[in-house]
Amino acid sequence: DYIHLDIHYLDGYRDFTVDTSRFPDLRGLCDKLKENNVDIVVINDAGIKVDDNYKVYRYCIDNDLAAKNNDGSTYVGVVWPGDSIFPNYFHPKMKKFLVQEASEFVEKYNISGIWNDMNEPVSFKGELPEDLVFDIPSRKLIHLECHNLYAEHMVRPLKDVFRNKNLRPYLFTRSGFSTTSKYAFTW
């Protein structure tokens, strides 16, 4: 029923991109497979590549929407793309941007689902510091208190990507909280 594309379909492991040397016509592939009742599900990782030319990174930095160290600087971990930041999915502005980017990507390539990974969140440098800060309009959240909610806040807005098109959301997540099953299933 489904083929799941892991991180190697991405251009440099950047979310919402395609490595066109590996997938020169991802839309054509998705369309052809759907004709045979096979849908494509793509991976979406929590770590966003530090790259000034990457739209998602620029948005997070320009809008102050990334996890911060206790001193106010942007926290940089290491995940598949190398140096990576972690978007502040608790902030309404980040959620809105995520839905916009995911909606455009799903529409452009005729994608049927999103697999959310590395969203504990996790860094290859080790555990994220407990005192990381996620600013939201009403207060500052400390990573220690919201660690288990990060994945849910990453996947929760993605349901709208599909519901806005009157499609049943196909979302799953590596991590979550007791209420995450309302938005995605975990693996």
Side-chain angles (χ1 to χ4, degrees):
D1 293 334
Y2 295 94
I3 294 175
H4 299 82
L5 299 183
D6 205 338
I7 57 174
H8 303 296
Y9 87 92
L10 296 165
D11 179 19
Y13 307 123
R14 293 171 187 86
D15 288 347
F16 309 118
T17 66
V18 175
D19 180 339
T20 56
S21 65
R22 292 177 188 221
F23 292 89
D25 184 13
L26 182 59
R27 174 62 189 237
L29 175 64
C30 291
D31 290 347
K32 185 148 186 78
L33 287 169
K34 277 194 179 192
E35 290 172 9
N36 293 295
N37 297 315
V38 177
D39 291 295
I40 294 286
V41 176
V42 295
I43 199 166
N44 180 46
D45 280 348
I48 299 299
K49 183 175 182 64
V50 173
D51 176 354
D52 283 328
N53 296 314
Y54 176 36
K55 180 181 178 182
V56 178
Y57 172 76
R58 279 281 23 120
Y59 184 84
C60 291
I61 296 302
D62 292 347
N63 291 280
D64 200 23
L65 292 170
K68 296 180 196 164
N69 294 304
N70 204 9
D71 65 4
S73 63
T74 300
Y75 172 77
V76 178
V78 177
V79 197
W80 299 114
D83 286 348
S84 303
I85 61 167
F86 294 88
N88 181 354
Y89 293 118
F90 300 102
H91 198 288
K93 200 171 176 181
M94 188 67 221
K95 290 178 184 184
K96 183 177 179 182
F97 178 76
L98 176 63
V99 170
Q100 173 189 323
E101 287 299 298
S103 294
E104 289 173 9
F105 191 78
V106 163
E107 179 71 27
K108 180 176 182 178
Y109 294 104
N110 200 11
I111 301 297
S112 298
I114 301 173
W115 159 22
N116 298 274
D117 196 18
M118 306 296 284
N119 57 355
E120 287 84 347
V122 64
S123 170
F124 297 152
K125 288 176 24 176
E127 291 184 30
L128 273 63
E130 292 182 346
D131 63 348
L132 282 184
V133 176
F134 296 95
D135 287 326
I136 59 172
S138 60
R139 70 185 191 101
K140 293 180 185 296
L141 294 172
I142 305 303
H143 183 64
L144 176 64
E145 67 183 333
C146 65
H147 170 84
N148 292 330
L149 291 168
Y150 187 85
E152 180 171 315
H153 283 265
M154 180 182 177
V155 299
R156 185 187 291 185
L158 291 173
K159 73 183 180 322
D160 294 336
V161 171
F162 300 96
R163 288 192 179 152
N164 290 346
K165 296 176 185 209
N166 202 28
L167 298 172
R168 183 177 179 199
Y170 184 97
L171 299 169
F172 65 107
T173 180
R174 175 165 136 170
S175 186
F177 189 66
S178 60
T179 52
T180 304
S181 62
K182 182 177 179 182
Y183 310 103
F185 64 92
T186 56
W187 60 279

